[in-house]
Amino acid sequence: MRLSVAAAISHGRVYRKLGFGPRSRLDLLRNLVTALVRHERIETLWARADEMRDYAERLIDYAKRGDTDERAMRMANFWLTEKDLIHKLFKVLAPRYQPHPGSYTRMLQIPNRDRLDRAKMAVIELKGNPLPPLIRPRRDSEKTLLNQLLKGYREDLQRAAAT
Amino acid sequence: CRASSDGKPEKFQPPPKPVIIDKQKQRAERRFLSPEFIPPRGRTDPLKYYMERKDMIQRRKVFNIPEFYVGHVLAVTTADPYANNKSNRFVGICIQRGGKGLGATFVLRNVIEGQGVEICYELYSPRIQAIEVLKLEKRLDDNLMYLRDALPEYSTFDMNMKPVPHLDDEEVRVNKLQVRMKPKPWSKRWERPKYNIKGIKFELPESKMKEAQKWSQPWLEFDMLREYDTSKIEEQIWKELNEELKK
C-alpha cells in the first residue's frame, strides 16, 4: 500500500492538528469561540488560543456586515453554539468594533499549567471588555536619574516663563 | 400633403430620431481577468508575481490571447518542427485551466478516430502561433475531467469546425448540459461531494448516492480561514493590466 509522501511532509501547512480529526478540531475551536464571546476573557492552552484567535476575529468581521446578511447569520449560527450569544455578537460586539479595522483580541502568555503536563497556557480576551485590565502599566519612580533631570528641566522652564 | 383638421397646412414633424445605444459603455462593464494573473495564497514575495505579470503583459501585447473559460471549444496552432507545414492545428474542448503566472496551462480534449486525446498547452509558450475560440459556451463546472468517463460523443468535435458566431457584448451563455457516463468503474469517484460536479446525469441507484454523501464535509463551508478574498487584488491587477495594455 503506497502512502503518499505529500501527507508525511508538512511544508506550508497552516492549520494545527487539534482534537481527533478536522471535524473535532473545528468543534473544539467552536466551543472556545463561544466561551470567548460569552465571558470575553478565557484562559486555555496557547496553541488552541492561537488557532481560535483568527477564527474569532473573522467572525467579528462577518458580524460587522450586519445581521440582515444571510451569510453572516449562517456563520454566527454555526460558530456560536449558545444561541443567545448571536444577539450579543451582532448587537454589542459588532458596534463596539465598528471603528477598528482589525485585531479585536489580545493574547498573552501565562505561567505553565499546574498539572503534571506543565502545558503552555495563554489568556485571550476581547479588547474593550468591562473586566479589570490584564497588564497594569507601571510608571517609573520619581527617583530615577532621567526623571529627576526632566523634573529639573520642567522647573527651569516654569521659572523662565514666570520671570 | 396631409389635410389637417382646421384647414391650415400642419407644421412639419420630423421623424423620431433613432436611439443609439452606446455599446462601448456596456462592454466596459464586462470585465474578465484571466485566472492566471491572480496570485495564489502563500508566503512568496509579491515581486515574483509582479515580474511574471510584466512578462505576461509583454507577451499579450504581441500575441492575442482571447478570453475563454472551461467548456469553450478552441483551435490552437503550434509550431512543430516535424510536421508538414511546420505547424500543427488541434481543436478541442477546454477541460481545465491550471497554473498561475507564466506557467498557466489549459488542457484541450478531443476524440480522434475513436481515441480520446488530451493535450496540455501553455498559454504563454512562444511555440503557440494562434488561439481561436470556435464556440463560446460555459459549463456548470470549472473542471470537466469527468468527460474522460463520459460517453465519447460529448468530447468529439470536428477538426474543421466552423467558428460559431457570437456577439461581443452578450454574456457568455452557460450550457446546463448533463452528461451521461459510461458504466462504472470511473477514473475518479465523481459522485462524491468533494468534486461537487453538477454537470453529470447520475444514473446510479439511490443507495450509492447516499453512500457517497458519507464523505461530505459540511463543516468545510464554515471554515473561515480557507476563504481567499481576491476582490482587492483583482482590482489592482485589472487597473495595472489596463494601463499597460493601453500603452
Side-chain angles (χ1 to χ4, degrees):
Chain A
M1 192 172 76
R2 194 170 169 267
L3 294 160
S4 70
V5 183
I9 301 174
S10 88
H11 289 168
R13 308 267 170 126
V14 279
Y15 307 127
R16 284 187 185 80
K17 287 193 199 181
L18 300 173
F20 25 87
R23 171 103 223 201
S24 159
R25 168 180 170 269
L26 268 189
D27 282 338
L28 254 163
L29 294 173
R30 198 163 47 152
N31 288 343
L32 285 169
V33 166
T34 312
L36 181 69
V37 171
R38 169 157 249 126
H39 303 111
E40 303 206 16
R41 180 188 288 175
I42 56 174
E43 149 184 328
T44 57
L45 299 170
W46 194 92
R48 288 183 192 179
D50 200 35
E51 287 280 303
M52 196 262 280
R53 197 175 181 195
D54 230 333
Y55 282 105
E57 293 188 352
R58 286 199 189 211
L59 182 66
I60 296 179
D61 276 325
Y62 261 107
K64 273 198 199 175
R65 288 195 204 177
D67 63 357
T68 42
D69 194 38
E70 169 65 44
R71 250 208 95 163
M73 192 48 90
R74 281 181 67 221
M75 277 289 180
N77 189 27
F78 177 81
W79 278 97
L80 300 169
T81 44
E82 289 152 36
K83 303 306 167 186
D84 45 329
L85 294 176
I86 301 180
H87 179 268
K88 180 182 174 186
L89 176 75
F90 282 108
K91 299 290 181 196
V92 175
L93 296 180
R96 194 204 284 181
Y97 296 118
Q98 202 65 43
H100 300 287
S103 93
Y104 317 113
T105 56
R106 188 180 290 130
M107 191 168 109
L108 301 161
Q109 198 185 340
I110 267 175
N112 286 358
R113 213 196 241 167
D114 288 328
R115 288 193 217 160
L116 186 65
D117 60 2
R118 308 300 290 173
K120 183 176 181 184
M121 298 286 272
V123 66
I124 181 166
E125 66 163 8
L126 294 169
K127 287 186 186 166
N129 63 13
L131 305 162
L134 278 172
I135 322 169
R136 267 195 307 170
R138 295 256 184 89
R139 300 182 65 106
D140 282 340
S141 108
E142 270 275 304
K143 315 285 183 197
T144 57
L145 178 64
L146 185 61
N147 278 351
Q148 288 284 301
L149 291 169
L150 284 169
K151 187 175 159 194
Y153 180 69
R154 248 180 270 128
E155 281 167 12
D156 283 341
L157 280 177
Q158 277 167 1
R159 242 176 271 136
T163 54
Chain B
C1 235
R2 246 181 256 158
S4 59
S5 47
D6 45 347
K8 293 177 211 165
E10 262 193 12
K11 200 179 158 198
F12 169 66
Q13 299 283 346
K17 277 200 182 143
V19 181
I20 305 169
I21 308 165
D22 194 4
K23 296 263 172 85
Q24 295 275 327
K25 279 182 207 156
Q26 283 175 7
R27 218 175 290 157
E29 283 161 16
R30 239 186 88 209
R31 340 143 42 117
F32 171 71
L33 185 64
S34 222
E36 68 264 4
F37 280 103
I38 302 164
R41 232 172 24 156
R43 287 167 52 182
T44 41
D45 200 351
L47 180 66
K48 175 199 179 210
Y49 299 118
Y50 175 68
M51 281 161 55
E52 282 203 319
R53 242 177 291 141
K54 269 182 32 179
D55 288 336
M56 281 147 81
I57 292 168
Q58 202 52 40
R59 174 73 181 155
R60 277 190 184 236
K61 280 186 190 166
V62 177
F63 171 70
N64 170 44
I65 297 174
E67 164 192 343
F68 69 97
Y69 300 86
V70 166
H72 284 209
V73 178
L74 306 178
V76 174
T77 35
T78 43
D80 194 351
Y82 309 111
N84 281 358
N85 283 337
K86 302 287 178 200
S87 69
N88 172 13
R89 185 173 190 258
F90 186 72
V91 170
I93 183 169
C94 175
I95 50 176
Q96 103 173 349
R97 284 186 79 160
K100 301 281 179 199
L102 284 169
T105 56
F106 62 102
V107 181
L108 292 183
R109 178 186 166 82
N110 202 341
V111 170
I112 301 177
E113 292 176 14
Q115 173 65 42
V117 174
E118 286 182 12
I119 307 188
C120 176
Y121 290 106
E122 287 184 18
L123 272 174
Y124 296 96
S125 159
R127 273 178 59 195
I128 298 186
Q129 285 160 350
I131 304 181
E132 302 133 29
V133 177
L134 297 178
K135 194 165 174 194
L136 282 107
E137 191 185 65
K138 266 208 242 190
R139 291 289 189 101
L140 289 166
D141 310 300
D142 262 343
N143 207 312
L144 298 176
M145 285 291 178
Y146 56 81
L147 288 178
R148 288 172 186 167
D149 298 314
L151 299 170
E153 63 194 32
Y154 294 102
S155 321
T156 33
F157 296 94
D158 187 22
M159 280 300 244
N160 308 319
M161 199 166 124
K162 291 283 189 296
V164 167
H166 177 257
L167 289 164
D168 205 16
D169 49 332
E170 275 175 8
E171 287 287 325
V172 178
R173 46 176 221 117
V174 179
N175 189 359
K176 301 203 166 110
L177 174 68
Q178 300 245 299
V179 155
R180 291 187 55 211
M181 306 291 274
K182 289 194 253 195
K184 271 198 150 191
W186 298 329
S187 60
K188 294 243 183 310
R189 294 172 213 247
W190 302 111
E191 74 275 9
R192 293 227 173 139
K194 154 178 163 193
Y195 296 108
N196 194 19
I197 292 184
K198 298 176 197 113
I200 298 185
K201 188 171 180 151
F202 290 110
E203 277 146 12
L204 300 168
E206 273 295 314
S207 56
K208 296 276 181 191
M209 298 302 286
K210 277 207 184 123
E211 209 191 302
Q213 290 301 316
K214 272 202 292 188
W215 277 267
S216 74
Q217 297 173 311
W219 61 85
L220 257 176
E221 66 160 309
F222 296 109
D223 195 340
M224 294 185 263
L225 285 180
R226 280 179 210 269
E227 290 155 22
Y228 181 35
D229 186 22
T230 52
S231 47
K232 290 190 189 110
I233 305 168
E234 268 185 50
E235 286 285 329
Q236 222 180 8
I237 297 176
W238 176 258
K239 263 189 245 171
E240 212 184 295
L241 245 187
N242 276 5
E243 274 167 28
E244 289 290 322
L245 283 173
K246 270 176 200 159
K247 283 181 199 168

CSV table of all heavy atoms in Angstrom, one decimal, chain B residues 203-220:
chain,number,residue,atom,x,y,z
B,203,GLU,N,-26.9,8.1,-13.1
B,203,GLU,CA,-28.0,7.1,-13.2
B,203,GLU,C,-27.7,6.0,-12.2
B,203,GLU,O,-28.0,4.9,-12.4
B,203,GLU,CB,-28.0,6.6,-14.6
B,203,GLU,CG,-28.9,7.5,-15.5
B,203,GLU,CD,-28.4,7.5,-17.0
B,203,GLU,OE1,-27.5,6.7,-17.3
B,203,GLU,OE2,-28.8,8.4,-17.7
B,204,LEU,N,-27.0,6.4,-11.1
B,204,LEU,CA,-26.7,5.4,-10.1
B,204,LEU,C,-27.9,5.2,-9.2
B,204,LEU,O,-28.7,6.1,-9.0
B,204,LEU,CB,-25.6,5.8,-9.2
B,204,LEU,CG,-24.3,6.1,-10.0
B,204,LEU,CD1,-23.3,6.8,-9.1
B,204,LEU,CD2,-23.6,4.8,-10.4
B,205,PRO,N,-28.1,4.0,-8.5
B,205,PRO,CA,-29.2,3.9,-7.6
B,205,PRO,C,-29.0,4.8,-6.3
B,205,PRO,O,-27.9,5.2,-6.0
B,205,PRO,CB,-29.1,2.4,-7.1
B,205,PRO,CG,-27.7,2.0,-7.5
B,205,PRO,CD,-27.3,2.8,-8.6
B,206,GLU,N,-30.2,5.0,-5.7
B,206,GLU,CA,-30.2,6.0,-4.6
B,206,GLU,C,-29.2,5.6,-3.4
B,206,GLU,O,-28.6,6.4,-2.8
B,206,GLU,CB,-31.6,6.0,-4.0
B,206,GLU,CG,-32.5,7.0,-4.7
B,206,GLU,CD,-32.0,8.5,-4.5
B,206,GLU,OE1,-31.7,8.9,-3.4
B,206,GLU,OE2,-32.0,9.2,-5.5
B,207,SER,N,-29.1,4.2,-3.2
B,207,SER,CA,-28.3,3.8,-2.1
B,207,SER,C,-26.8,4.2,-2.4
B,207,SER,O,-26.1,4.6,-1.5
B,207,SER,CB,-28.3,2.3,-2.0
B,207,SER,OG,-28.0,1.7,-3.3
B,208,LYS,N,-26.4,4.1,-3.7
B,208,LYS,CA,-25.0,4.5,-4.0
B,208,LYS,C,-24.8,6.0,-3.7
B,208,LYS,O,-23.8,6.5,-3.2
B,208,LYS,CB,-24.6,4.2,-5.4
B,208,LYS,CG,-24.6,2.8,-5.8
B,208,LYS,CD,-23.3,2.1,-5.4
B,208,LYS,CE,-23.4,0.7,-5.8
B,208,LYS,NZ,-22.3,-0.1,-5.3
B,209,MET,N,-25.8,6.8,-4.1
B,209,MET,CA,-25.7,8.3,-3.9
B,209,MET,C,-25.6,8.6,-2.4
B,209,MET,O,-24.9,9.5,-2.0
B,209,MET,CB,-26.9,9.0,-4.6
B,209,MET,CG,-27.0,8.8,-6.1
B,209,MET,SD,-25.5,9.4,-7.0
B,209,MET,CE,-25.7,11.1,-6.9
B,210,LYS,N,-26.5,7.9,-1.7
B,210,LYS,CA,-26.4,8.2,-0.2
B,210,LYS,C,-25.1,7.8,0.4
B,210,LYS,O,-24.6,8.5,1.3
B,210,LYS,CB,-27.6,7.4,0.5
B,210,LYS,CG,-28.9,8.0,0.4
B,210,LYS,CD,-29.8,7.6,1.5
B,210,LYS,CE,-31.2,8.3,1.3
B,210,LYS,NZ,-32.3,7.4,1.2
B,211,GLU,N,-24.5,6.7,-0.1
B,211,GLU,CA,-23.3,6.2,0.4
B,211,GLU,C,-22.2,7.2,0.1
B,211,GLU,O,-21.3,7.5,0.9
B,211,GLU,CB,-22.9,4.9,-0.2
B,211,GLU,CG,-22.1,4.0,0.8
B,211,GLU,CD,-21.6,2.8,0.0
B,211,GLU,OE1,-22.4,2.0,-0.5
B,211,GLU,OE2,-20.3,2.6,0.0
B,212,ALA,N,-22.3,7.8,-1.1
B,212,ALA,CA,-21.3,8.8,-1.5
B,212,ALA,C,-21.4,10.0,-0.6
B,212,ALA,O,-20.3,10.7,-0.3
B,212,ALA,CB,-21.5,9.2,-2.9
B,213,GLN,N,-22.6,10.4,-0.1
B,213,GLN,CA,-22.7,11.5,0.8
B,213,GLN,C,-22.0,11.4,2.1
B,213,GLN,O,-21.8,12.3,2.9
B,213,GLN,CB,-24.2,11.9,1.0
B,213,GLN,CG,-24.9,12.4,-0.2
B,213,GLN,CD,-24.2,13.7,-0.7
B,213,GLN,OE1,-23.9,14.6,0.0
B,213,GLN,NE2,-24.0,13.7,-2.0
B,214,LYS,N,-21.6,10.1,2.5
B,214,LYS,CA,-20.9,9.9,3.7
B,214,LYS,C,-19.6,10.6,3.7
B,214,LYS,O,-19.1,11.0,4.8
B,214,LYS,CB,-20.6,8.4,3.9
B,214,LYS,CG,-21.7,7.6,4.5
B,214,LYS,CD,-21.2,6.3,5.1
B,214,LYS,CE,-20.8,5.3,4.1
B,214,LYS,NZ,-20.5,4.0,4.6
B,215,TRP,N,-19.0,10.9,2.6
B,215,TRP,CA,-17.7,11.5,2.5
B,215,TRP,C,-17.9,13.1,2.5
B,215,TRP,O,-16.9,13.8,2.2
B,215,TRP,CB,-16.9,11.1,1.3
B,215,TRP,CG,-16.2,9.8,1.5
B,215,TRP,CD1,-15.0,9.7,1.9
B,215,TRP,CD2,-16.8,8.5,1.3
B,215,TRP,NE1,-14.6,8.3,2.0
B,215,TRP,CE2,-15.7,7.6,1.7
B,215,TRP,CE3,-18.0,8.0,0.9
B,215,TRP,CZ2,-15.9,6.2,1.6
B,215,TRP,CZ3,-18.2,6.6,0.9
B,215,TRP,CH2,-17.1,5.7,1.2
B,216,SER,N,-19.1,13.5,2.6
B,216,SER,CA,-19.3,15.0,2.6
B,216,SER,C,-18.7,15.6,3.9
B,216,SER,O,-18.8,15.0,4.9
B,216,SER,CB,-20.7,15.4,2.4
B,216,SER,OG,-21.4,15.1,3.7
B,217,GLN,N,-18.2,16.8,3.7
B,217,GLN,CA,-17.6,17.5,4.9
B,217,GLN,C,-18.4,18.8,5.1
B,217,GLN,O,-18.0,19.9,4.5
B,217,GLN,CB,-16.1,17.8,4.7
B,217,GLN,CG,-15.3,16.6,4.5
B,217,GLN,CD,-13.9,16.9,4.1
B,217,GLN,OE1,-13.7,17.6,3.2
B,217,GLN,NE2,-13.0,16.3,4.8
B,218,PRO,N,-19.5,18.8,5.8
B,218,PRO,CA,-20.4,20.0,5.8
B,218,PRO,C,-19.7,21.2,6.6
B,218,PRO,O,-20.1,22.3,6.4
B,218,PRO,CB,-21.6,19.5,6.6
B,218,PRO,CG,-21.2,18.3,7.3
B,218,PRO,CD,-20.1,17.7,6.5
B,219,TRP,N,-18.7,20.9,7.4
B,219,TRP,CA,-18.0,21.9,8.1
B,219,TRP,C,-17.1,22.8,7.3
B,219,TRP,O,-16.7,23.9,7.7
B,219,TRP,CB,-17.3,21.4,9.3
B,219,TRP,CG,-16.2,20.5,8.9
B,219,TRP,CD1,-14.9,20.8,8.5
B,219,TRP,CD2,-16.2,19.0,8.8
B,219,TRP,NE1,-14.2,19.7,8.2
B,219,TRP,CE2,-15.0,18.6,8.3
B,219,TRP,CE3,-17.2,18.1,9.0
B,219,TRP,CZ2,-14.7,17.2,8.1
B,219,TRP,CZ3,-17.0,16.8,8.8
B,219,TRP,CH2,-15.7,16.4,8.4
B,220,LEU,N,-16.8,22.3,6.1
B,220,LEU,CA,-15.8,23.0,5.2
B,220,LEU,C,-16.3,24.4,4.8
B,220,LEU,O,-15.5,25.3,4.7
B,220,LEU,CB,-15.5,22.2,4.0
B,220,LEU,CG,-14.2,21.4,4.0
B,220,LEU,CD1,-14.1,20.6,2.8
B,220,LEU,CD2,-13.0,22.4,4.1
